[in-house]
mmCIF file of all heavy atoms in Angstrom:
data_model
loop_
_atom_site.group_PDB
_atom_site.id
_atom_site.type_symbol
_atom_site.label_atom_id
_atom_site.label_comp_id
_atom_site.label_asym_id
_atom_site.label_seq_id
_atom_site.Cartn_x
_atom_site.Cartn_y
_atom_site.Cartn_z
ATOM 1 N N ALA A 1 31.191 -43.616 29.399
ATOM 2 C CA ALA A 1 32.634 -43.809 29.283
ATOM 3 C C ALA A 1 33.033 -45.084 28.541
ATOM 4 O O ALA A 1 34.234 -45.307 28.312
ATOM 5 C CB ALA A 1 33.264 -43.811 30.679
ATOM 6 N N ASP A 2 32.055 -45.907 28.250
ATOM 7 C CA ASP A 2 32.380 -47.206 27.665
ATOM 8 C C ASP A 2 32.379 -47.232 26.110
ATOM 9 O O ASP A 2 31.347 -47.083 25.505
ATOM 10 C CB ASP A 2 31.341 -48.262 28.171
ATOM 11 C CG ASP A 2 31.718 -49.722 27.794
ATOM 12 O OD1 ASP A 2 32.466 -50.316 28.515
ATOM 13 O OD2 ASP A 2 31.262 -50.160 26.702
ATOM 14 N N SER A 3 33.518 -47.408 25.555
ATOM 15 C CA SER A 3 33.632 -47.374 24.073
ATOM 16 C C SER A 3 33.072 -48.593 23.444
ATOM 17 O O SER A 3 32.617 -48.554 22.270
ATOM 18 C CB SER A 3 35.091 -47.157 23.671
ATOM 19 O OG SER A 3 35.949 -48.183 24.137
ATOM 20 N N THR A 4 33.057 -49.718 24.141
ATOM 21 C CA THR A 4 32.601 -51.004 23.547
ATOM 22 C C THR A 4 31.153 -50.927 23.167
ATOM 23 O O THR A 4 30.729 -51.180 22.059
ATOM 24 C CB THR A 4 32.941 -52.211 24.447
ATOM 25 O OG1 THR A 4 34.356 -52.188 24.681
ATOM 26 C CG2 THR A 4 32.531 -53.496 23.817
ATOM 27 N N LEU A 5 30.305 -50.661 24.237
ATOM 28 C CA LEU A 5 28.889 -50.656 24.004
ATOM 29 C C LEU A 5 28.496 -49.487 22.980
ATOM 30 O O LEU A 5 27.589 -49.661 22.199
ATOM 31 C CB LEU A 5 28.121 -50.477 25.286
ATOM 32 C CG LEU A 5 27.702 -51.734 25.990
ATOM 33 C CD1 LEU A 5 26.820 -51.438 27.153
ATOM 34 C CD2 LEU A 5 27.032 -52.741 25.069
ATOM 35 N N ILE A 6 29.197 -48.438 23.085
ATOM 36 C CA ILE A 6 28.910 -47.276 22.166
ATOM 37 C C ILE A 6 29.145 -47.759 20.702
ATOM 38 O O ILE A 6 28.374 -47.414 19.848
ATOM 39 C CB ILE A 6 29.776 -46.066 22.482
ATOM 40 C CG1 ILE A 6 29.306 -45.490 23.850
ATOM 41 C CG2 ILE A 6 29.723 -45.080 21.369
ATOM 42 C CD1 ILE A 6 30.176 -44.345 24.339
ATOM 43 N N SER A 7 30.187 -48.582 20.538
ATOM 44 C CA SER A 7 30.441 -49.024 19.142
ATOM 45 C C SER A 7 29.393 -49.909 18.580
ATOM 46 O O SER A 7 29.099 -50.010 17.423
ATOM 47 C CB SER A 7 31.812 -49.737 19.110
ATOM 48 O OG SER A 7 31.733 -51.024 19.791
ATOM 49 N N TYR A 8 28.723 -50.686 19.449
ATOM 50 C CA TYR A 8 27.621 -51.612 19.062
ATOM 51 C C TYR A 8 26.293 -50.851 18.964
ATOM 52 O O TYR A 8 25.529 -51.002 17.994
ATOM 53 C CB TYR A 8 27.442 -52.722 20.047
ATOM 54 C CG TYR A 8 28.434 -53.785 19.931
ATOM 55 C CD1 TYR A 8 29.633 -53.770 20.729
ATOM 56 C CD2 TYR A 8 28.318 -54.850 19.046
ATOM 57 C CE1 TYR A 8 30.605 -54.775 20.577
ATOM 58 C CE2 TYR A 8 29.215 -55.865 18.913
ATOM 59 C CZ TYR A 8 30.368 -55.839 19.662
ATOM 60 O OH TYR A 8 31.323 -56.799 19.487
ATOM 61 N N PHE A 9 25.921 -49.973 19.886
ATOM 62 C CA PHE A 9 24.691 -49.299 19.880
ATOM 63 C C PHE A 9 24.664 -48.031 18.959
ATOM 64 O O PHE A 9 23.653 -47.578 18.538
ATOM 65 C CB PHE A 9 24.311 -48.834 21.338
ATOM 66 C CG PHE A 9 23.713 -49.877 22.208
ATOM 67 C CD1 PHE A 9 24.333 -51.048 22.469
ATOM 68 C CD2 PHE A 9 22.424 -49.709 22.678
ATOM 69 C CE1 PHE A 9 23.813 -51.982 23.184
ATOM 70 C CE2 PHE A 9 21.872 -50.723 23.477
ATOM 71 C CZ PHE A 9 22.527 -51.833 23.786
ATOM 72 N N GLY A 10 25.883 -47.503 18.691
ATOM 73 C CA GLY A 10 25.983 -46.302 17.903
ATOM 74 C C GLY A 10 26.109 -45.096 18.749
ATOM 75 O O GLY A 10 25.360 -44.953 19.751
ATOM 76 N N GLU A 11 27.046 -44.273 18.479
ATOM 77 C CA GLU A 11 27.335 -43.028 19.308
ATOM 78 C C GLU A 11 26.094 -42.175 19.334
ATOM 79 O O GLU A 11 25.756 -41.588 20.399
ATOM 80 C CB GLU A 11 28.511 -42.283 18.732
ATOM 81 C CG GLU A 11 28.963 -41.107 19.574
ATOM 82 C CD GLU A 11 30.219 -40.476 19.103
ATOM 83 O OE1 GLU A 11 30.900 -41.042 18.257
ATOM 84 O OE2 GLU A 11 30.547 -39.366 19.608
ATOM 85 N N LYS A 12 25.380 -42.059 18.263
ATOM 86 C CA LYS A 12 24.251 -41.146 18.167
ATOM 87 C C LYS A 12 23.100 -41.663 19.086
ATOM 88 O O LYS A 12 22.460 -40.894 19.845
ATOM 89 C CB LYS A 12 23.701 -41.039 16.743
ATOM 90 C CG LYS A 12 22.735 -39.958 16.521
ATOM 91 C CD LYS A 12 22.450 -39.834 15.090
ATOM 92 C CE LYS A 12 21.369 -38.745 14.839
ATOM 93 N NZ LYS A 12 20.961 -38.595 13.341
ATOM 94 N N PHE A 13 22.886 -43.002 19.116
ATOM 95 C CA PHE A 13 21.827 -43.614 19.971
ATOM 96 C C PHE A 13 22.236 -43.405 21.457
ATOM 97 O O PHE A 13 21.436 -43.003 22.266
ATOM 98 C CB PHE A 13 21.595 -45.048 19.694
ATOM 99 C CG PHE A 13 20.577 -45.647 20.634
ATOM 100 C CD1 PHE A 13 19.251 -45.544 20.317
ATOM 101 C CD2 PHE A 13 20.946 -46.288 21.820
ATOM 102 C CE1 PHE A 13 18.288 -46.041 21.204
ATOM 103 C CE2 PHE A 13 20.053 -46.797 22.665
ATOM 104 C CZ PHE A 13 18.681 -46.692 22.395
ATOM 105 N N ILE A 14 23.480 -43.794 21.816
ATOM 106 C CA ILE A 14 23.870 -43.670 23.241
ATOM 107 C C ILE A 14 23.811 -42.269 23.696
ATOM 108 O O ILE A 14 23.386 -41.958 24.806
ATOM 109 C CB ILE A 14 25.313 -44.219 23.421
ATOM 110 C CG1 ILE A 14 25.283 -45.762 23.164
ATOM 111 C CG2 ILE A 14 25.846 -43.923 24.771
ATOM 112 C CD1 ILE A 14 24.512 -46.547 24.200
ATOM 113 N N SER A 15 24.207 -41.289 22.875
ATOM 114 C CA SER A 15 24.100 -39.866 23.270
ATOM 115 C C SER A 15 22.679 -39.507 23.523
ATOM 116 O O SER A 15 22.368 -38.870 24.535
ATOM 117 C CB SER A 15 24.679 -39.012 22.114
ATOM 118 O OG SER A 15 24.536 -37.650 22.453
ATOM 119 N N LEU A 16 21.743 -39.940 22.692
ATOM 120 C CA LEU A 16 20.327 -39.591 22.894
ATOM 121 C C LEU A 16 19.807 -40.300 24.091
ATOM 122 O O LEU A 16 19.058 -39.756 24.901
ATOM 123 C CB LEU A 16 19.570 -39.982 21.710
ATOM 124 C CG LEU A 16 18.050 -39.685 21.689
ATOM 125 C CD1 LEU A 16 17.811 -38.184 21.795
ATOM 126 C CD2 LEU A 16 17.422 -40.268 20.399
ATOM 127 N N TYR A 17 20.127 -41.575 24.263
ATOM 128 C CA TYR A 17 19.692 -42.363 25.425
ATOM 129 C C TYR A 17 20.163 -41.689 26.743
ATOM 130 O O TYR A 17 19.353 -41.609 27.684
ATOM 131 C CB TYR A 17 20.263 -43.806 25.359
ATOM 132 C CG TYR A 17 19.760 -44.739 26.444
ATOM 133 C CD1 TYR A 17 18.521 -45.375 26.337
ATOM 134 C CD2 TYR A 17 20.510 -44.932 27.622
ATOM 135 C CE1 TYR A 17 18.070 -46.223 27.308
ATOM 136 C CE2 TYR A 17 20.032 -45.733 28.637
ATOM 137 C CZ TYR A 17 18.822 -46.425 28.507
ATOM 138 O OH TYR A 17 18.387 -47.277 29.419
ATOM 139 N N LEU A 18 21.369 -41.303 26.759
ATOM 140 C CA LEU A 18 21.901 -40.616 27.969
ATOM 141 C C LEU A 18 21.146 -39.311 28.239
ATOM 142 O O LEU A 18 20.917 -38.946 29.337
ATOM 143 C CB LEU A 18 23.386 -40.430 27.837
ATOM 144 C CG LEU A 18 24.304 -41.650 27.970
ATOM 145 C CD1 LEU A 18 25.693 -41.358 27.562
ATOM 146 C CD2 LEU A 18 24.174 -42.255 29.395
ATOM 147 N N GLN A 19 20.897 -38.529 27.171
ATOM 148 C CA GLN A 19 20.170 -37.313 27.350
ATOM 149 C C GLN A 19 18.794 -37.528 27.979
ATOM 150 O O GLN A 19 18.330 -36.814 28.920
ATOM 151 C CB GLN A 19 19.981 -36.575 25.998
ATOM 152 C CG GLN A 19 21.215 -35.965 25.379
ATOM 153 C CD GLN A 19 20.978 -35.394 24.025
ATOM 154 O OE1 GLN A 19 19.894 -34.981 23.737
ATOM 155 N NE2 GLN A 19 21.957 -35.326 23.244
ATOM 156 N N VAL A 20 18.115 -38.563 27.531
ATOM 157 C CA VAL A 20 16.825 -38.920 28.171
ATOM 158 C C VAL A 20 16.942 -39.364 29.569
ATOM 159 O O VAL A 20 16.253 -38.802 30.471
ATOM 160 C CB VAL A 20 16.062 -39.936 27.291
ATOM 161 C CG1 VAL A 20 14.783 -40.394 27.945
ATOM 162 C CG2 VAL A 20 15.806 -39.490 25.870
ATOM 163 N N ARG A 21 17.899 -40.255 29.759
ATOM 164 C CA ARG A 21 17.995 -40.781 31.161
ATOM 165 C C ARG A 21 18.553 -39.725 32.137
ATOM 166 O O ARG A 21 18.154 -39.691 33.300
ATOM 167 C CB ARG A 21 18.861 -42.062 31.133
ATOM 168 C CG ARG A 21 18.242 -43.263 30.410
ATOM 169 C CD ARG A 21 17.080 -43.724 31.182
ATOM 170 N NE ARG A 21 16.472 -44.890 30.437
ATOM 171 C CZ ARG A 21 15.170 -44.838 29.995
ATOM 172 N NH1 ARG A 21 14.419 -43.769 30.191
ATOM 173 N NH2 ARG A 21 14.658 -45.852 29.384
ATOM 174 N N GLU A 22 19.470 -38.966 31.663
ATOM 175 C CA GLU A 22 20.018 -37.870 32.579
ATOM 176 C C GLU A 22 18.933 -36.897 32.943
ATOM 177 O O GLU A 22 18.909 -36.366 34.045
ATOM 178 C CB GLU A 22 21.186 -37.172 31.927
ATOM 179 C CG GLU A 22 22.449 -38.046 31.893
ATOM 180 C CD GLU A 22 23.553 -37.513 30.995
ATOM 181 O OE1 GLU A 22 23.283 -36.538 30.303
ATOM 182 O OE2 GLU A 22 24.673 -38.090 31.003
ATOM 183 N N SER A 23 18.014 -36.585 31.979
ATOM 184 C CA SER A 23 16.920 -35.632 32.319
ATOM 185 C C SER A 23 16.012 -36.300 33.389
ATOM 186 O O SER A 23 15.600 -35.650 34.305
ATOM 187 C CB SER A 23 16.115 -35.380 31.061
ATOM 188 O OG SER A 23 16.829 -34.532 30.140
ATOM 189 N N GLU A 24 15.780 -37.560 33.257
ATOM 190 C CA GLU A 24 14.914 -38.334 34.219
ATOM 191 C C GLU A 24 15.625 -38.399 35.569
ATOM 192 O O GLU A 24 14.993 -38.193 36.600
ATOM 193 C CB GLU A 24 14.607 -39.636 33.728
ATOM 194 C CG GLU A 24 13.598 -39.734 32.621
ATOM 195 C CD GLU A 24 13.158 -41.165 32.333
ATOM 196 O OE1 GLU A 24 12.188 -41.621 33.039
ATOM 197 O OE2 GLU A 24 13.711 -41.810 31.428
ATOM 198 N N GLU A 25 16.975 -38.644 35.544
ATOM 199 C CA GLU A 25 17.652 -38.745 36.824
ATOM 200 C C GLU A 25 17.715 -37.449 37.533
ATOM 201 O O GLU A 25 17.569 -37.425 38.805
ATOM 202 C CB GLU A 25 19.137 -39.218 36.488
ATOM 203 C CG GLU A 25 19.930 -39.673 37.708
ATOM 204 C CD GLU A 25 20.576 -38.544 38.473
ATOM 205 O OE1 GLU A 25 20.850 -37.503 37.852
ATOM 206 O OE2 GLU A 25 20.883 -38.753 39.721
ATOM 207 N N GLU A 26 17.886 -36.370 36.800
ATOM 208 C CA GLU A 26 17.876 -35.041 37.498
ATOM 209 C C GLU A 26 16.480 -34.660 38.016
ATOM 210 O O GLU A 26 16.347 -34.178 39.113
ATOM 211 C CB GLU A 26 18.273 -33.886 36.469
ATOM 212 C CG GLU A 26 19.764 -34.056 36.119
ATOM 213 C CD GLU A 26 20.235 -33.061 34.994
ATOM 214 O OE1 GLU A 26 19.290 -32.336 34.588
ATOM 215 O OE2 GLU A 26 21.354 -33.146 34.627
ATOM 216 N N GLU A 27 15.473 -35.083 37.315
ATOM 217 C CA GLU A 27 14.057 -34.832 37.761
ATOM 218 C C GLU A 27 13.746 -35.669 39.023
ATOM 219 O O GLU A 27 13.170 -35.177 39.999
ATOM 220 C CB GLU A 27 13.083 -35.225 36.675
ATOM 221 C CG GLU A 27 11.605 -34.979 37.063
ATOM 222 C CD GLU A 27 10.633 -35.292 35.967
ATOM 223 O OE1 GLU A 27 11.056 -35.544 34.848
ATOM 224 O OE2 GLU A 27 9.414 -35.319 36.316
ATOM 225 N N ALA A 28 14.248 -36.910 39.062
ATOM 226 C CA ALA A 28 14.084 -37.771 40.200
ATOM 227 C C ALA A 28 14.849 -37.216 41.422
ATOM 228 O O ALA A 28 14.321 -37.201 42.530
ATOM 229 C CB ALA A 28 14.561 -39.180 39.902
ATOM 230 N N HIS A 29 16.001 -36.680 41.179
ATOM 231 C CA HIS A 29 16.797 -36.099 42.261
ATOM 232 C C HIS A 29 16.087 -34.888 42.861
ATOM 233 O O HIS A 29 16.158 -34.639 44.055
ATOM 234 C CB HIS A 29 18.137 -35.691 41.714
ATOM 235 C CG HIS A 29 19.072 -35.028 42.786
ATOM 236 N ND1 HIS A 29 19.606 -35.862 43.789
ATOM 237 C CD2 HIS A 29 19.464 -33.809 43.012
ATOM 238 C CE1 HIS A 29 20.324 -35.026 44.548
ATOM 239 N NE2 HIS A 29 20.294 -33.780 44.126
ATOM 240 N N ARG A 30 15.340 -34.146 42.043
ATOM 241 C CA ARG A 30 14.630 -32.951 42.557
ATOM 242 C C ARG A 30 13.308 -33.291 43.226
ATOM 243 O O ARG A 30 12.673 -32.416 43.792
ATOM 244 C CB ARG A 30 14.394 -32.005 41.399
ATOM 245 C CG ARG A 30 15.615 -31.413 40.772
ATOM 246 C CD ARG A 30 15.285 -30.209 39.847
ATOM 247 N NE ARG A 30 14.427 -30.605 38.733
ATOM 248 C CZ ARG A 30 14.827 -30.902 37.472
ATOM 249 N NH1 ARG A 30 16.122 -30.834 37.209
ATOM 250 N NH2 ARG A 30 13.982 -31.218 36.549
ATOM 251 N N SER A 31 12.819 -34.543 43.134
ATOM 252 C CA SER A 31 11.508 -34.853 43.505
ATOM 253 C C SER A 31 11.367 -35.610 44.850
ATOM 254 O O SER A 31 10.278 -36.050 45.155
ATOM 255 C CB SER A 31 10.805 -35.699 42.401
ATOM 256 O OG SER A 31 11.423 -36.980 42.299
ATOM 257 N N TYR A 32 12.404 -35.661 45.577
ATOM 258 C CA TYR A 32 12.407 -36.492 46.768
ATOM 259 C C TYR A 32 12.102 -35.657 48.061
ATOM 260 O O TYR A 32 12.426 -36.020 49.204
ATOM 261 C CB TYR A 32 13.739 -37.170 47.044
ATOM 262 C CG TYR A 32 14.001 -38.316 46.109
ATOM 263 C CD1 TYR A 32 15.305 -38.647 45.715
ATOM 264 C CD2 TYR A 32 12.951 -39.033 45.521
ATOM 265 C CE1 TYR A 32 15.499 -39.767 44.843
ATOM 266 C CE2 TYR A 32 13.161 -40.080 44.654
ATOM 267 C CZ TYR A 32 14.456 -40.400 44.320
ATOM 268 O OH TYR A 32 14.715 -41.433 43.461
ATOM 269 N N PHE A 33 11.395 -34.535 47.935
ATOM 270 C CA PHE A 33 11.183 -33.594 49.027
ATOM 271 C C PHE A 33 10.314 -34.264 50.132
ATOM 272 O O PHE A 33 10.497 -33.973 51.312
ATOM 273 C CB PHE A 33 10.586 -32.330 48.580
ATOM 274 C CG PHE A 33 11.655 -31.447 47.923
ATOM 275 C CD1 PHE A 33 11.741 -31.353 46.542
ATOM 276 C CD2 PHE A 33 12.542 -30.751 48.670
ATOM 277 C CE1 PHE A 33 12.701 -30.572 45.929
ATOM 278 C CE2 PHE A 33 13.525 -29.890 48.062
ATOM 279 C CZ PHE A 33 13.592 -29.879 46.696
ATOM 280 N N ALA A 34 9.391 -35.121 49.786
ATOM 281 C CA ALA A 34 8.568 -35.751 50.849
ATOM 282 C C ALA A 34 9.380 -36.590 51.785
ATOM 283 O O ALA A 34 9.281 -36.506 53.011
ATOM 284 C CB ALA A 34 7.464 -36.642 50.182
ATOM 285 N N ALA A 35 10.341 -37.383 51.135
ATOM 286 C CA ALA A 35 11.226 -38.126 51.992
ATOM 287 C C ALA A 35 12.200 -37.291 52.794
ATOM 288 O O ALA A 35 12.518 -37.522 53.955
ATOM 289 C CB ALA A 35 12.078 -39.094 51.113
ATOM 290 N N ASP A 36 12.652 -36.162 52.180
ATOM 291 C CA ASP A 36 13.500 -35.165 52.876
ATOM 292 C C ASP A 36 12.794 -34.617 54.130
ATOM 293 O O ASP A 36 13.397 -34.561 55.243
ATOM 294 C CB ASP A 36 13.912 -34.047 52.002
ATOM 295 C CG ASP A 36 14.912 -34.480 50.863
ATOM 296 O OD1 ASP A 36 15.416 -35.597 50.914
ATOM 297 O OD2 ASP A 36 15.122 -33.672 49.986
ATOM 298 N N HIS A 37 11.570 -34.234 53.945
ATOM 299 C CA HIS A 37 10.809 -33.656 55.057
ATOM 300 C C HIS A 37 10.726 -34.755 56.202
ATOM 301 O O HIS A 37 10.800 -34.414 57.392
ATOM 302 C CB HIS A 37 9.464 -33.201 54.605
ATOM 303 C CG HIS A 37 9.501 -32.021 53.711
ATOM 304 N ND1 HIS A 37 8.457 -31.678 52.829
ATOM 305 C CD2 HIS A 37 10.526 -31.104 53.482
ATOM 306 C CE1 HIS A 37 8.815 -30.647 52.133
ATOM 307 N NE2 HIS A 37 10.015 -30.315 52.490
#
């Protein structure tokens, strides 16, 4: 949501960075079953 950092890093880079990190965040969210148990 931050237009300032996007303007410095570039929209294309931030979009890609978020795609990578969101994939990792979703994987981490799905991997906590040991703690759940």
Side-chain angles (χ1 to χ4, degrees):
D2 187 87
S3 59
T4 302
L5 269 189
I6 290 174
S7 71
Y8 282 93
F9 279 60
E11 187 174 350
K12 193 174 180 182
F13 177 84
I14 291 296
S15 175
L16 183 62
Y17 185 84
L18 288 170
Q19 287 176 26
V20 174
R21 293 293 178 241
E22 286 168 353
S23 290
E24 287 191 84
E25 193 275 335
E26 289 173 3
E27 182 180 349
H29 181 72
R30 295 193 299 263
S31 66
Y32 288 152
F33 285 98
D36 289 350
H37 293 161

